[in-house]
Amino acid sequence: KKYWFNKHLSLLKQSFSGAPYLKDALDLVEEVYQTDYNNLGALSRASMLAILNYFDIAGSCQFFDVKDLKISGKGNDRVLSIVQAVNGNNYITGHGAINYLDHRGFEAAGVTVKYMNYQSLHYKQLHGSFTPYVSALDLIANCGKEGEGFIANNKSTIPWDEFISISLKK
């Protein structure tokens, strides 16, 4: 295997040492790393699918490869075109989109924009007080399959105009 794989696996073993589901987390990483990927996007997709499969929630999702949709353009226009190509009428996004998304343009096209309302649900971690937003591997190492409940109960969203209003107050 490549040097980075062994180094990364060693760091994960050290970081999660003593976690009740360490083996689950490491097995997942080793499974993903069995394949050589052409690019970081392919590795990211395989990682995401492995986590969804671990929690038995992959069946409730539908995945599209953007290159198969043959959509051109950049930025906001490209995102809107992707949503439209899959017949979407809702676009749920992370907080960074506040910096570039044309919310009114989405609305004009009949697409509702909502932002994730991350809930930072606490679970028992190994070291000190709870640290939110670490990684899905941290959730797996510490909670195992029971971690799915932290995902299932974190589906809150906020309409874009409300999110912007809250963000402006900060």
Side-chain angles (χ1 to χ4, degrees):
K1 275 291 174 191
K2 298 173 184 137
Y3 169 75
W4 66 266
F5 167 80
N6 292 325
K7 185 175 180 179
H8 190 230
L9 197 58
S10 176
L11 286 170
L12 289 172
K13 284 179 186 176
Q14 182 181 0
S15 296
F16 296 141
S17 178
Y21 299 94
L22 170 67
K23 184 174 178 353
D24 285 12
L26 295 178
D27 286 352
L28 192 88
V29 171
E30 288 177 340
E31 175 189 325
V32 169
Y33 284 175
Q34 293 304 309
T35 301
D36 287 326
Y37 300 95
N38 292 331
N39 55 56
L40 185 58
L43 172 61
S44 295
R45 180 184 176 116
S47 299
M48 180 182 59
L49 289 172
I51 290 165
L52 292 173
N53 285 325
Y54 176 83
F55 287 123
D56 296 321
I57 54 178
S60 65
C61 305
Q62 187 176 6
F63 296 92
F64 299 92
D65 194 325
V66 174
K67 69 180 180 187
D68 293 337
L69 299 175
K70 297 180 171 68
I71 293 175
S72 59
K74 292 194 280 190
N76 184 82
D77 293 336
R78 182 173 169 83
V79 173
L80 179 57
S81 294
I82 291 167
V83 173
Q84 291 171 322
V86 298
N87 298 315
N89 54 12
N90 289 296
Y91 180 62
I92 300 171
T93 188
H95 296 182
I98 195 172
N99 298 313
Y100 66 85
L101 205 64
D102 175 8
H103 303 92
R104 295 196 193 290
F106 271 68
E107 276 188 346
V111 176
T112 302
V113 176
K114 294 181 180 178
Y115 281 82
M116 286 299 305
N117 184 23
Y118 300 111
Q119 296 298 310
S120 182
L121 302 174
H122 292 220
Y123 56 89
K124 186 173 171 50
Q125 292 175 318
L126 289 173
H127 311 290
S129 60
F130 179 74
T131 303
Y133 316 118
V134 180
S135 73
L137 281 178
D138 183 75
L139 179 63
I140 291 168
N142 287 294
C143 300
K145 298 269 187 185
E146 297 298 315
E148 191 272 334
F150 292 92
I151 297 169
N153 293 315
N154 197 3
K155 294 182 179 175
S156 176
T157 59
I158 303 173
W160 71 266
D161 49 352
E162 184 179 331
F163 179 76
I164 288 175
S165 175
I166 292 167
S167 296
L168 291 174
K169 291 177 185 174
K170 291 182 181 180

